Structure formats: structure tokens, C-alpha cells
Amino acid sequence: MKQTRVKNIVLKGWLAAALLASGTVSATELLNSSYDVSRELFAALNPGFEQQWNQQHPGDKLTIKQSHAGSSKQALAILQGLRADVVTYNQVTDVQILHDRGQLIPADWQSRLPNNSSPFYSTMAFLVRKDNPKGIHNWNDLVRDDVKLVFPNPKTSGNGRYTYLAAWGAANQADGNDQAKTRAFMTRFLKNVLVFDTGGRGATTTFVERGLGDVLISFESEVNNIRKQYGEDKYQVIVPPVDILAEFPVAWVDKNVERNGTEQAAKDYLNYLYSPAAQQVITSYYYRVYDKQAMAAAKSQFPDTKLFRVEDQFGGWPQVMKTHFSTGGELDQLLAAGHK
């Protein structure tokens, strides 16, 4: 009996090797270029899709590989030749640049998948230390002289840009659209930044492992997962009452999937992110989703907050990048004002 089982195992192994050698079984590899703090999310999502693909395509074994860094750096790497099949970023401009500077994707890429090609979204949140010793509750608390902040550099990180825009938008609404008051608020806000790391994961290291700063500002998903990882009794998460809608756009990279022969797998992978099974996994990592059932099941995880859109508050991402983040723009001017 035992010998028969061993023979069967050997035979199956030989057949699999023979099929692979003959080309009957193929191997498909997808490379997902993603933002800095999404490692754990996709490590949880990828096996489900790999299993689904392998069941539906028994002659084609799929493997998904990941690449992570600040999303702007990731987009630049693709423009410089990284043959990623899909991108899953945290800012529209980092996907759009693949069209604008490389013609790697079409102009209408956002219309190819639901919700502006954003299968999930988030907002900004504050991570404070045990018992919230500085009494942080909203954006106004972050401009006090006794508060030091940590968040990524808006020049290099989508995470940092969303933080900057969330603070500006909340202050602008509170000030009744008085631009002079908003600029004064933002000058104090930026002056309180202790460390500008290049990406979200670096900011986490600064705050948690180096113990610097009173408040880490990052995506709601990230700060909740930090608290879960490093000790729920050591940190507290604050979601301010007015905040920004942070979309997480995805796209297959047309020119790359054509060259790599992975178009169908890439499209199916991104569509899988909208499936009920994937949406449930996504909420378990504290991202908000459009699936009403998944959100209802995870309602206790997400405090109520009034979200505003970049397009409504700032006129859209092209205008934002030119006005706020270009050389000599609002960000540079505010930083200079804070050092006078």
C-alpha cells in the first residue's frame, strides 16, 4: 500500500515535470507595483486570487510578486523600464503619469474599473501614544506649540500629500475659505513636523521604533495596523471629524502586459479586488470599501467622519500638483515662512 502511494507521488511529479517541459503547463508571473505600506494587505489578498486563477486555468500556474516603495518612486521606476503588470497606488497622479509621460496606459484608464478604478479607499488618521497625553482630537490640536508631528514628505509620498491636503482642506472649511488664515494655519502645522520621511513606512519607523514625535499622521488603515502590530495598549487612533477622501487607484499597464503576455491575468487580478471575498479581506486591514455588506459587517472599525474630495476642495490633481507641490509652490513657500 505504502509502495503504491510512493509510486503515485513519483508518477505525478514526473508527469508535472513532463507537462511543464513540453509546454502543456505554463507559468504566469504578475508583478504588482504598489505603495509603501501595502505589503501586508497584498500578502493577504494574493493567495486567494492565485488559487482562483489556478483552479480556472489548470495548465497555467500563476505567481504574484510585489514591489513596494513610495508610490511616486514606483511610478518613476516603471517609466524607467520596470515591467510591472499592474499598479495599485494611493494617488491618482502616480497612475496618471504613466499615461502623461510614458503613454503606457490610455487617457481613460480611470473609466475601465468601478469607482474611478478605486476598489478601496481610506482617509487620514492620527496615531498617538497611550492615553493620548497631548489631548489630540482634531486638526487644530496639531498646530499647538507643544505638539510634534511625524508624516512623510509630500514631495515624495502620496501619503504625505494627502496629509497636507487634509490639513489644508479642514482648516479652509473651518476658516470660511479665508486663504490668509488657512496659510497661517498651514505654516504652524508644517513648522511642527519633527521628521519628514520619504515614505509611510519610514515615518512609522521614526514614530514607533525611534520613539520620536507626539503624533504620527498616516492613512487610517496604516495607523490601525501599526497599533495592532505594536500593541493596542500602547497607542490610540484618532480620526478627525473633517477629513479627506483618499482614493487608491489601480490599473493594468497596457504596454507591459502586451510585452509580458499577461493581459488577461492582470485584468482578472484587478477585478478580483472588487469581489466580496477580497473586499472582506480589505476591510480587515482597516481600508474602507464600496461593498455595503462588507462595510456593514466592519462598521465598528470605522468612526464617522465628513470626507471631502480633492476635486471639490482643490479643483483636481493637476491643479493641486502645480499649485501646491511644484518647485516654489505653496508647500515650499509655507516651509520657508515657517523657518523665518
Side-chain angles (χ1 to χ4, degrees):
M1 185 82 173
K2 188 175 181 182
Q3 281 185 326
T4 303
R5 192 159 56 242
V6 170
K7 283 181 181 178
N8 285 340
I9 292 170
V10 171
L11 182 60
K12 285 180 181 177
W14 178 85
L15 283 171
L19 287 169
L20 188 59
S22 68
T24 306
V25 175
S26 59
T28 298
E29 186 176 289
L30 286 182
L31 177 59
N32 177 9
S33 169
S34 198
Y35 55 98
D36 197 28
V37 296
S38 67
R39 291 171 179 82
E40 293 79 10
L41 172 65
F42 285 102
L45 284 168
N46 289 346
F49 179 71
E50 288 172 342
Q51 183 180 16
Q52 175 182 298
W53 176 271
N54 293 335
Q55 286 174 348
Q56 294 173 352
H57 304 81
D60 185 8
K61 181 173 173 55
L62 175 75
T63 304
I64 302 169
K65 292 194 172 181
Q66 293 291 135
S67 174
H68 298 276
S71 60
S72 297
K73 284 188 174 182
Q74 291 288 75
L76 183 60
I78 292 175
L79 290 170
Q80 292 173 341
L82 178 69
R83 285 173 60 166
D85 302 280
V86 300
V87 295
T88 55
Y89 290 159
N90 58 22
Q91 192 180 317
V92 170
T93 53
D94 291 327
V95 183
Q96 184 64 35
I97 198 172
L98 301 179
H99 166 74
D100 295 344
R101 286 180 52 183
Q103 296 296 309
L104 298 175
I105 60 174
D108 66 347
W109 65 269
Q110 274 188 287
S111 67
R112 300 192 298 188
L113 291 166
N115 308 316
N116 295 321
S117 286
S118 175
F120 51 95
Y121 63 99
S122 191
T123 190
M124 308 317 295
F126 313 148
L127 188 70
V128 299
R129 303 191 191 279
K130 183 180 179 180
D131 298 328
N132 194 8
K134 293 294 178 77
I136 304 298
H137 300 288
N138 55 47
W139 294 102
N140 283 337
D141 294 326
L142 304 187
V143 298
R144 299 198 321 247
D145 292 338
D146 65 328
V147 174
K148 295 301 176 188
L149 311 175
V150 175
F151 64 88
N153 190 334
K155 290 279 190 176
T156 58
S157 166
N159 187 325
R161 283 192 281 274
Y162 271 120
T163 293
Y164 169 97
L165 294 173
W168 181 294
N172 198 45
Q173 289 185 30
D175 294 334
N177 205 27
D178 186 323
Q179 295 297 299
K181 285 184 179 179
T182 298
R183 286 191 178 93
F185 172 92
M186 290 301 295
T187 300
R188 298 197 304 274
F189 175 75
L190 292 167
K191 193 173 183 179
N192 279 355
V193 178
L194 188 64
V195 178
F196 262 150
D197 286 290
T198 57
R201 193 49 54 93
T204 297
T205 299
T206 295
F207 184 77
V208 174
E209 296 182 11
R210 295 174 62 197
L212 300 178
D214 302 301
V215 185
L216 171 68
I217 312 174
S218 190
F219 292 118
E220 178 184 36
S221 49
E222 173 72 353
V223 295
N224 274 290
N225 287 315
I226 293 167
R227 183 170 178 257
K228 198 172 180 180
Q229 180 180 350
Y230 289 95
E232 295 186 3
D233 58 333
K234 295 180 181 178
Y235 302 98
Q236 186 174 333
V237 173
I238 310 294
V239 177
V242 175
D243 217 330
I244 196 165
L245 171 67
E247 292 182 304
F248 287 70
V250 303
W252 59 88
V253 185
D254 297 68
K255 291 291 177 67
N256 286 353
V257 298
E258 285 175 23
R259 287 186 294 177
N260 298 342
T262 54
E263 183 175 358
Q264 192 58 55
K267 290 179 178 179
D268 286 1
Y269 176 54
L270 295 184
N271 274 289
Y272 172 76
L273 300 180
Y274 292 86
S275 70
Q279 295 273 289
Q280 190 173 5
V281 171
I282 290 166
T283 59
S284 74
Y285 283 82
Y286 295 92
Y287 291 90
R288 301 181 185 227
V289 298
Y290 297 95
D291 185 297
K292 292 181 180 178
Q293 287 187 326
M295 280 299 285
K299 187 178 180 182
S300 62
Q301 295 177 201
F302 302 109
D304 288 336
T305 180
K306 186 179 178 182
L307 300 181
F308 59 84
R309 297 179 63 87
V310 169
E311 291 78 6
D312 296 335
Q313 192 75 29
F314 299 97
W317 279 108
Q319 187 173 331
V320 163
M321 297 303 289
K322 181 179 179 181
T323 301
H324 291 272
F325 303 125
S326 62
T327 301
E330 288 280 7
L331 174 61
D332 287 347
Q333 294 174 36
L334 294 168
L335 288 170
H339 286 95
K340 285 181 181 178

